[in-house]
Amino acid sequence: MTFGEQPAYLRVAGDLRKKIVDGSLPPHTRLPSQARIREEYGVSDTVALEARKVLMAEGLVEGRSGSGTYVRERPVPRRLARSGYRPDSGATPFRQEQADFAVRGTWESHSRQVEASGAIAERLAIQPGDRVMCTNYVYRDGGEAMMLSTSWEPLAVTGRTPVMLPEEGPLGGMGVVERMAAIDVIVDNVTEEVGARPGLAEELLALGGVPGHVVVVIQRTFYASGRPVETADVVVPADRYRIAYHLPVK
């Protein structure tokens, strides 16, 4: 193979990808069989198989047991807006995570006390094993799961206070800034780091994805005078949503 020349399986995958994108192979169409790919492109069974694997990993096709491999419906990515702070009027947790006020959504949550892992302890500037309140959220848009979030708050900050449970009590559901202010902890900074990775099996099951799909992960941390008071991982399907940020100009 000369410099710059693609391996055969990538060339085959690229041609099939082009047909999927331009509509020559529309959604729900059966992908050519391994034997057909072998004959049409003059490649080995191994190359044909690897080309199909590439398309499956990219989420362009899906296998159906006993039936074959089919072109997947390609969703049109929707805009998911992010904003550092919410309006003074307050908003639901769904509004905190999805700042586009034209969208109506629902959510489910569950909180429990756990010991901080090494990674979470580092993010919260506490010791591994310290107690934190962990809350899992599933956000839905029109009944469809569209985002997952897991947050951790150090009980050294919120323990034995009215805001210890994010979704219960007088300020349940009001979000980090308002809840912390109620116990005289003033949030003055928030950071978000955005990355991407293959979705975990349980994440894809909840979000309706298939193995190999990529998710966008937003690692968010709220600070009060330099001290982390909440950190969270927000997980969004990369093929269905694009992240848009509202950044204030000072």
PDB file of all heavy atoms in Angstrom, residues 133-165:
ATOM      1  N   MET A 133     -24.077  13.432  47.880  1.00  0.00           N
ATOM      2  CA  MET A 133     -25.419  13.124  47.392  1.00  0.00           C
ATOM      3  C   MET A 133     -25.332  12.971  45.882  1.00  0.00           C
ATOM      4  O   MET A 133     -24.950  13.907  45.172  1.00  0.00           O
ATOM      5  CB  MET A 133     -26.407  14.241  47.756  1.00  0.00           C
ATOM      6  CG  MET A 133     -27.848  13.919  47.370  1.00  0.00           C
ATOM      7  SD  MET A 133     -28.514  12.491  48.275  1.00  0.00           S
ATOM      8  CE  MET A 133     -28.620  13.184  49.940  1.00  0.00           C
ATOM      9  N   CYS A 134     -25.676  11.775  45.407  1.00  0.00           N
ATOM     10  CA  CYS A 134     -25.630  11.480  43.977  1.00  0.00           C
ATOM     11  C   CYS A 134     -27.062  11.450  43.446  1.00  0.00           C
ATOM     12  O   CYS A 134     -27.925  10.757  43.998  1.00  0.00           O
ATOM     13  CB  CYS A 134     -24.943  10.138  43.746  1.00  0.00           C
ATOM     14  SG  CYS A 134     -24.929   9.590  42.024  1.00  0.00           S
ATOM     15  N   THR A 135     -27.318  12.210  42.400  1.00  0.00           N
ATOM     16  CA  THR A 135     -28.659  12.273  41.811  1.00  0.00           C
ATOM     17  C   THR A 135     -28.578  11.938  40.328  1.00  0.00           C
ATOM     18  O   THR A 135     -27.794  12.543  39.592  1.00  0.00           O
ATOM     19  CB  THR A 135     -29.286  13.661  41.989  1.00  0.00           C
ATOM     20  OG1 THR A 135     -29.311  13.992  43.380  1.00  0.00           O
ATOM     21  CG2 THR A 135     -30.711  13.678  41.451  1.00  0.00           C
ATOM     22  N   ASN A 136     -29.372  10.971  39.912  1.00  0.00           N
ATOM     23  CA  ASN A 136     -29.451  10.572  38.503  1.00  0.00           C
ATOM     24  C   ASN A 136     -30.720  11.148  37.879  1.00  0.00           C
ATOM     25  O   ASN A 136     -31.803  11.055  38.468  1.00  0.00           O
ATOM     26  CB  ASN A 136     -29.466   9.049  38.365  1.00  0.00           C
ATOM     27  CG  ASN A 136     -28.196   8.416  38.881  1.00  0.00           C
ATOM     28  OD1 ASN A 136     -28.178   7.851  39.959  1.00  0.00           O
ATOM     29  ND2 ASN A 136     -27.130   8.506  38.104  1.00  0.00           N
ATOM     30  N   TYR A 137     -30.570  11.741  36.701  1.00  0.00           N
ATOM     31  CA  TYR A 137     -31.704  12.303  35.978  1.00  0.00           C
ATOM     32  C   TYR A 137     -31.838  11.649  34.604  1.00  0.00           C
ATOM     33  O   TYR A 137     -30.831  11.336  33.949  1.00  0.00           O
ATOM     34  CB  TYR A 137     -31.510  13.804  35.737  1.00  0.00           C
ATOM     35  CG  TYR A 137     -31.539  14.661  36.973  1.00  0.00           C
ATOM     36  CD1 TYR A 137     -30.361  14.950  37.662  1.00  0.00           C
ATOM     37  CD2 TYR A 137     -32.732  15.211  37.437  1.00  0.00           C
ATOM     38  CE1 TYR A 137     -30.380  15.753  38.784  1.00  0.00           C
ATOM     39  CE2 TYR A 137     -32.755  16.023  38.570  1.00  0.00           C
ATOM     40  CZ  TYR A 137     -31.574  16.291  39.243  1.00  0.00           C
ATOM     41  OH  TYR A 137     -31.583  17.088  40.359  1.00  0.00           O
ATOM     42  N   VAL A 138     -33.075  11.477  34.166  1.00  0.00           N
ATOM     43  CA  VAL A 138     -33.384  11.149  32.779  1.00  0.00           C
ATOM     44  C   VAL A 138     -34.305  12.255  32.277  1.00  0.00           C
ATOM     45  O   VAL A 138     -35.391  12.470  32.836  1.00  0.00           O
ATOM     46  CB  VAL A 138     -34.087   9.784  32.636  1.00  0.00           C
ATOM     47  CG1 VAL A 138     -34.414   9.515  31.166  1.00  0.00           C
ATOM     48  CG2 VAL A 138     -33.229   8.667  33.195  1.00  0.00           C
ATOM     49  N   TYR A 139     -33.873  12.996  31.267  1.00  0.00           N
ATOM     50  CA  TYR A 139     -34.665  14.072  30.695  1.00  0.00           C
ATOM     51  C   TYR A 139     -35.335  13.582  29.420  1.00  0.00           C
ATOM     52  O   TYR A 139     -34.709  12.901  28.592  1.00  0.00           O
ATOM     53  CB  TYR A 139     -33.777  15.275  30.379  1.00  0.00           C
ATOM     54  CG  TYR A 139     -33.138  15.873  31.606  1.00  0.00           C
ATOM     55  CD1 TYR A 139     -31.901  15.425  32.050  1.00  0.00           C
ATOM     56  CD2 TYR A 139     -33.786  16.863  32.330  1.00  0.00           C
ATOM     57  CE1 TYR A 139     -31.316  15.957  33.184  1.00  0.00           C
ATOM     58  CE2 TYR A 139     -33.207  17.403  33.465  1.00  0.00           C
ATOM     59  CZ  TYR A 139     -31.976  16.950  33.888  1.00  0.00           C
ATOM     60  OH  TYR A 139     -31.406  17.472  35.016  1.00  0.00           O
ATOM     61  N   ARG A 140     -36.601  13.956  29.255  1.00  0.00           N
ATOM     62  CA  ARG A 140     -37.369  13.516  28.086  1.00  0.00           C
ATOM     63  C   ARG A 140     -37.949  14.714  27.343  1.00  0.00           C
ATOM     64  O   ARG A 140     -38.342  15.701  27.954  1.00  0.00           O
ATOM     65  CB  ARG A 140     -38.496  12.578  28.520  1.00  0.00           C
ATOM     66  CG  ARG A 140     -38.003  11.337  29.249  1.00  0.00           C
ATOM     67  CD  ARG A 140     -39.143  10.367  29.584  1.00  0.00           C
ATOM     68  NE  ARG A 140     -38.661   9.280  30.414  1.00  0.00           N
ATOM     69  CZ  ARG A 140     -38.050   8.193  29.945  1.00  0.00           C
ATOM     70  NH1 ARG A 140     -37.897   8.069  28.628  1.00  0.00           N
ATOM     71  NH2 ARG A 140     -37.634   7.251  30.758  1.00  0.00           N
ATOM     72  N   ASP A 141     -37.989  14.580  26.049  1.00  0.00           N
ATOM     73  CA  ASP A 141     -38.602  15.586  25.180  1.00  0.00           C
ATOM     74  C   ASP A 141     -39.670  14.868  24.364  1.00  0.00           C
ATOM     75  O   ASP A 141     -39.360  13.993  23.561  1.00  0.00           O
ATOM     76  CB  ASP A 141     -37.553  16.219  24.263  1.00  0.00           C
ATOM     77  CG  ASP A 141     -38.142  17.299  23.372  1.00  0.00           C
ATOM     78  OD1 ASP A 141     -39.283  17.736  23.645  1.00  0.00           O
ATOM     79  OD2 ASP A 141     -37.470  17.705  22.409  1.00  0.00           O
ATOM     80  N   GLY A 142     -40.927  15.212  24.606  1.00  0.00           N
ATOM     81  CA  GLY A 142     -42.006  14.518  23.919  1.00  0.00           C
ATOM     82  C   GLY A 142     -42.061  13.047  24.268  1.00  0.00           C
ATOM     83  O   GLY A 142     -42.462  12.224  23.434  1.00  0.00           O
ATOM     84  N   GLY A 143     -41.653  12.698  25.477  1.00  0.00           N
ATOM     85  CA  GLY A 143     -41.665  11.309  25.915  1.00  0.00           C
ATOM     86  C   GLY A 143     -40.418  10.534  25.553  1.00  0.00           C
ATOM     87  O   GLY A 143     -40.213   9.422  26.041  1.00  0.00           O
ATOM     88  N   GLU A 144     -39.550  11.096  24.715  1.00  0.00           N
ATOM     89  CA  GLU A 144     -38.337  10.396  24.271  1.00  0.00           C
ATOM     90  C   GLU A 144     -37.154  10.811  25.131  1.00  0.00           C
ATOM     91  O   GLU A 144     -36.896  12.005  25.317  1.00  0.00           O
ATOM     92  CB  GLU A 144     -38.050  10.724  22.805  1.00  0.00           C
ATOM     93  CG  GLU A 144     -36.773  10.105  22.267  1.00  0.00           C
ATOM     94  CD  GLU A 144     -36.476  10.547  20.838  1.00  0.00           C
ATOM     95  OE1 GLU A 144     -37.037   9.943  19.911  1.00  0.00           O
ATOM     96  OE2 GLU A 144     -35.706  11.506  20.661  1.00  0.00           O
ATOM     97  N   ALA A 145     -36.429   9.834  25.667  1.00  0.00           N
ATOM     98  CA  ALA A 145     -35.239  10.150  26.463  1.00  0.00           C
ATOM     99  C   ALA A 145     -34.212  10.836  25.575  1.00  0.00           C
ATOM    100  O   ALA A 145     -33.848  10.313  24.519  1.00  0.00           O
ATOM    101  CB  ALA A 145     -34.656   8.873  27.068  1.00  0.00           C
ATOM    102  N   MET A 146     -33.782  12.031  25.989  1.00  0.00           N
ATOM    103  CA  MET A 146     -32.865  12.791  25.147  1.00  0.00           C
ATOM    104  C   MET A 146     -31.589  13.201  25.878  1.00  0.00           C
ATOM    105  O   MET A 146     -30.645  13.670  25.264  1.00  0.00           O
ATOM    106  CB  MET A 146     -33.553  14.034  24.575  1.00  0.00           C
ATOM    107  CG  MET A 146     -34.326  14.878  25.583  1.00  0.00           C
ATOM    108  SD  MET A 146     -33.321  15.975  26.605  1.00  0.00           S
ATOM    109  CE  MET A 146     -32.656  17.071  25.378  1.00  0.00           C
ATOM    110  N   MET A 147     -31.549  13.006  27.202  1.00  0.00           N
ATOM    111  CA  MET A 147     -30.371  13.422  27.940  1.00  0.00           C
ATOM    112  C   MET A 147     -30.355  12.732  29.302  1.00  0.00           C
ATOM    113  O   MET A 147     -31.405  12.528  29.922  1.00  0.00           O
ATOM    114  CB  MET A 147     -30.385  14.945  28.118  1.00  0.00           C
ATOM    115  CG  MET A 147     -29.206  15.525  28.858  1.00  0.00           C
ATOM    116  SD  MET A 147     -29.147  17.339  28.668  1.00  0.00           S
ATOM    117  CE  MET A 147     -30.729  17.808  29.342  1.00  0.00           C
ATOM    118  N   LEU A 148     -29.155  12.367  29.745  1.00  0.00           N
ATOM    119  CA  LEU A 148     -28.949  11.810  31.078  1.00  0.00           C
ATOM    120  C   LEU A 148     -28.031  12.745  31.853  1.00  0.00           C
ATOM    121  O   LEU A 148     -27.185  13.419  31.265  1.00  0.00           O
ATOM    122  CB  LEU A 148     -28.304  10.424  31.001  1.00  0.00           C
ATOM    123  CG  LEU A 148     -28.968   9.369  30.118  1.00  0.00           C
ATOM    124  CD1 LEU A 148     -28.123   8.102  30.087  1.00  0.00           C
ATOM    125  CD2 LEU A 148     -30.379   9.062  30.587  1.00  0.00           C
ATOM    126  N   SER A 149     -28.205  12.780  33.153  1.00  0.00           N
ATOM    127  CA  SER A 149     -27.313  13.587  33.971  1.00  0.00           C
ATOM    128  C   SER A 149     -27.125  12.907  35.322  1.00  0.00           C
ATOM    129  O   SER A 149     -28.079  12.372  35.898  1.00  0.00           O
ATOM    130  CB  SER A 149     -27.889  14.997  34.176  1.00  0.00           C
ATOM    131  OG  SER A 149     -27.031  15.767  35.003  1.00  0.00           O
ATOM    132  N   THR A 150     -25.893  12.923  35.798  1.00  0.00           N
ATOM    133  CA  THR A 150     -25.592  12.441  37.146  1.00  0.00           C
ATOM    134  C   THR A 150     -24.833  13.545  37.864  1.00  0.00           C
ATOM    135  O   THR A 150     -23.815  14.027  37.358  1.00  0.00           O
ATOM    136  CB  THR A 150     -24.738  11.164  37.116  1.00  0.00           C
ATOM    137  OG1 THR A 150     -25.416  10.157  36.355  1.00  0.00           O
ATOM    138  CG2 THR A 150     -24.495  10.649  38.529  1.00  0.00           C
ATOM    139  N   SER A 151     -25.366  13.977  39.007  1.00  0.00           N
ATOM    140  CA  SER A 151     -24.716  15.055  39.756  1.00  0.00           C
ATOM    141  C   SER A 151     -24.260  14.543  41.118  1.00  0.00           C
ATOM    142  O   SER A 151     -24.824  13.585  41.662  1.00  0.00           O
ATOM    143  CB  SER A 151     -25.675  16.237  39.940  1.00  0.00           C
ATOM    144  OG  SER A 151     -26.728  15.899  40.833  1.00  0.00           O
ATOM    145  N   TRP A 152     -23.233  15.198  41.647  1.00  0.00           N
ATOM    146  CA  TRP A 152     -22.700  14.862  42.965  1.00  0.00           C
ATOM    147  C   TRP A 152     -22.516  16.163  43.751  1.00  0.00           C
ATOM    148  O   TRP A 152     -21.927  17.121  43.249  1.00  0.00           O
ATOM    149  CB  TRP A 152     -21.354  14.160  42.855  1.00  0.00           C
ATOM    150  CG  TRP A 152     -21.390  12.847  42.148  1.00  0.00           C
ATOM    151  CD1 TRP A 152     -21.546  11.603  42.693  1.00  0.00           C
ATOM    152  CD2 TRP A 152     -21.225  12.639  40.732  1.00  0.00           C
ATOM    153  NE1 TRP A 152     -21.507  10.634  41.723  1.00  0.00           N
ATOM    154  CE2 TRP A 152     -21.308  11.233  40.501  1.00  0.00           C
ATOM    155  CE3 TRP A 152     -21.031  13.484  39.640  1.00  0.00           C
ATOM    156  CZ2 TRP A 152     -21.194  10.681  39.228  1.00  0.00           C
ATOM    157  CZ3 TRP A 152     -20.928  12.937  38.377  1.00  0.00           C
ATOM    158  CH2 TRP A 152     -21.006  11.542  38.181  1.00  0.00           C
ATOM    159  N   GLU A 153     -23.026  16.182  44.996  1.00  0.00           N
ATOM    160  CA  GLU A 153     -22.863  17.332  45.872  1.00  0.00           C
ATOM    161  C   GLU A 153     -22.265  16.868  47.195  1.00  0.00           C
ATOM    162  O   GLU A 153     -22.755  15.891  47.785  1.00  0.00           O
ATOM    163  CB  GLU A 153     -24.206  18.021  46.129  1.00  0.00           C
ATOM    164  CG  GLU A 153     -24.823  18.631  44.876  1.00  0.00           C
ATOM    165  CD  GLU A 153     -26.169  19.285  45.150  1.00  0.00           C
ATOM    166  OE1 GLU A 153     -26.661  19.180  46.302  1.00  0.00           O
ATOM    167  OE2 GLU A 153     -26.710  19.890  44.220  1.00  0.00           O
ATOM    168  N   PRO A 154     -21.221  17.528  47.692  1.00  0.00           N
ATOM    169  CA  PRO A 154     -20.599  17.106  48.962  1.00  0.00           C
ATOM    170  C   PRO A 154     -21.542  17.353  50.136  1.00  0.00           C
ATOM    171  O   PRO A 154     -22.059  18.456  50.317  1.00  0.00           O
ATOM    172  CB  PRO A 154     -19.341  17.977  49.046  1.00  0.00           C
ATOM    173  CG  PRO A 154     -19.622  19.148  48.162  1.00  0.00           C
ATOM    174  CD  PRO A 154     -20.538  18.680  47.082  1.00  0.00           C
ATOM    175  N   LEU A 155     -21.766  16.319  50.918  1.00  0.00           N
ATOM    176  CA  LEU A 155     -22.646  16.472  52.074  1.00  0.00           C
ATOM    177  C   LEU A 155     -22.024  17.343  53.157  1.00  0.00           C
ATOM    178  O   LEU A 155     -22.721  17.819  54.052  1.00  0.00           O
ATOM    179  CB  LEU A 155     -23.022  15.101  52.620  1.00  0.00           C
ATOM    180  CG  LEU A 155     -24.002  14.330  51.725  1.00  0.00           C
ATOM    181  CD1 LEU A 155     -24.208  12.907  52.237  1.00  0.00           C
ATOM    182  CD2 LEU A 155     -25.339  15.051  51.638  1.00  0.00           C
ATOM    183  N   ALA A 156     -20.723  17.591  53.046  1.00  0.00           N
ATOM    184  CA  ALA A 156     -20.093  18.543  53.960  1.00  0.00           C
ATOM    185  C   ALA A 156     -20.658  19.946  53.745  1.00  0.00           C
ATOM    186  O   ALA A 156     -20.594  20.793  54.640  1.00  0.00           O
ATOM    187  CB  ALA A 156     -18.580  18.557  53.737  1.00  0.00           C
ATOM    188  N   VAL A 157     -21.225  20.181  52.558  1.00  0.00           N
ATOM    189  CA  VAL A 157     -21.829  21.475  52.240  1.00  0.00           C
ATOM    190  C   VAL A 157     -23.332  21.461  52.492  1.00  0.00           C
ATOM    191  O   VAL A 157     -23.886  22.365  53.121  1.00  0.00           O
ATOM    192  CB  VAL A 157     -21.544  21.870  50.773  1.00  0.00           C
ATOM    193  CG1 VAL A 157     -22.286  23.154  50.399  1.00  0.00           C
ATOM    194  CG2 VAL A 157     -20.048  22.041  50.542  1.00  0.00           C
ATOM    195  N   THR A 158     -24.005  20.419  52.004  1.00  0.00           N
ATOM    196  CA  THR A 158     -25.471  20.425  52.033  1.00  0.00           C
ATOM    197  C   THR A 158     -26.076  19.528  53.112  1.00  0.00           C
ATOM    198  O   THR A 158     -27.281  19.595  53.369  1.00  0.00           O
ATOM    199  CB  THR A 158     -26.029  19.969  50.676  1.00  0.00           C
ATOM    200  OG1 THR A 158     -25.581  18.623  50.419  1.00  0.00           O
ATOM    201  CG2 THR A 158     -25.559  20.877  49.552  1.00  0.00           C
ATOM    202  N   GLY A 159     -25.261  18.661  53.731  1.00  0.00           N
ATOM    203  CA  GLY A 159     -25.802  17.730  54.719  1.00  0.00           C
ATOM    204  C   GLY A 159     -26.491  18.442  55.879  1.00  0.00           C
ATOM    205  O   GLY A 159     -26.055  19.504  56.323  1.00  0.00           O
ATOM    206  N   ARG A 160     -27.613  17.859  56.318  1.00  0.00           N
ATOM    207  CA  ARG A 160     -28.395  18.402  57.430  1.00  0.00           C
ATOM    208  C   ARG A 160     -28.912  19.814  57.150  1.00  0.00           C
ATOM    209  O   ARG A 160     -29.050  20.642  58.056  1.00  0.00           O
ATOM    210  CB  ARG A 160     -27.570  18.380  58.735  1.00  0.00           C
ATOM    211  CG  ARG A 160     -27.133  16.981  59.154  1.00  0.00           C
ATOM    212  CD  ARG A 160     -26.342  17.032  60.464  1.00  0.00           C
ATOM    213  NE  ARG A 160     -25.873  15.702  60.832  1.00  0.00           N
ATOM    214  CZ  ARG A 160     -26.614  14.815  61.519  1.00  0.00           C
ATOM    215  NH1 ARG A 160     -27.857  15.121  61.880  1.00  0.00           N
ATOM    216  NH2 ARG A 160     -26.111  13.625  61.842  1.00  0.00           N
ATOM    217  N   THR A 161     -29.155  20.108  55.885  1.00  0.00           N
ATOM    218  CA  THR A 161     -29.759  21.394  55.514  1.00  0.00           C
ATOM    219  C   THR A 161     -31.033  21.111  54.728  1.00  0.00           C
ATOM    220  O   THR A 161     -31.244  19.991  54.245  1.00  0.00           O
ATOM    221  CB  THR A 161     -28.809  22.241  54.638  1.00  0.00           C
ATOM    222  OG1 THR A 161     -28.771  21.680  53.312  1.00  0.00           O
ATOM    223  CG2 THR A 161     -27.406  22.295  55.219  1.00  0.00           C
ATOM    224  N   PRO A 162     -31.894  22.111  54.527  1.00  0.00           N
ATOM    225  CA  PRO A 162     -33.135  21.901  53.768  1.00  0.00           C
ATOM    226  C   PRO A 162     -32.916  21.575  52.296  1.00  0.00           C
ATOM    227  O   PRO A 162     -33.857  21.159  51.624  1.00  0.00           O
ATOM    228  CB  PRO A 162     -33.872  23.239  53.929  1.00  0.00           C
ATOM    229  CG  PRO A 162     -33.286  23.870  55.148  1.00  0.00           C
ATOM    230  CD  PRO A 162     -31.850  23.439  55.164  1.00  0.00           C
ATOM    231  N   VAL A 163     -31.692  21.780  51.791  1.00  0.00           N
ATOM    232  CA  VAL A 163     -31.446  21.544  50.357  1.00  0.00           C
ATOM    233  C   VAL A 163     -30.612  20.285  50.133  1.00  0.00           C
ATOM    234  O   VAL A 163     -30.056  20.105  49.051  1.00  0.00           O
ATOM    235  CB  VAL A 163     -30.761  22.770  49.705  1.00  0.00           C
ATOM    236  CG1 VAL A 163     -31.609  24.008  49.888  1.00  0.00           C
ATOM    237  CG2 VAL A 163     -29.363  22.988  50.288  1.00  0.00           C
ATOM    238  N   MET A 164     -30.522  19.420  51.119  1.00  0.00           N
ATOM    239  CA  MET A 164     -29.686  18.224  50.982  1.00  0.00           C
ATOM    240  C   MET A 164     -30.137  17.357  49.813  1.00  0.00           C
ATOM    241  O   MET A 164     -29.322  16.785  49.097  1.00  0.00           O
ATOM    242  CB  MET A 164     -29.708  17.415  52.277  1.00  0.00           C
ATOM    243  CG  MET A 164     -28.777  16.198  52.245  1.00  0.00           C
ATOM    244  SD  MET A 164     -28.648  15.367  53.849  1.00  0.00           S
ATOM    245  CE  MET A 164     -30.273  14.607  53.961  1.00  0.00           C
ATOM    246  N   LEU A 165     -31.460  17.258  49.588  1.00  0.00           N
ATOM    247  CA  LEU A 165     -32.004  16.487  48.471  1.00  0.00           C
ATOM    248  C   LEU A 165     -32.383  17.454  47.353  1.00  0.00           C
ATOM    249  O   LEU A 165     -33.279  18.298  47.538  1.00  0.00           O
ATOM    250  CB  LEU A 165     -33.219  15.671  48.909  1.00  0.00           C
ATOM    251  CG  LEU A 165     -32.921  14.524  49.870  1.00  0.00           C
ATOM    252  CD1 LEU A 165     -34.210  13.967  50.461  1.00  0.00           C
ATOM    253  CD2 LEU A 165     -32.140  13.417  49.159  1.00  0.00           C
TER     254      LEU A 165
END
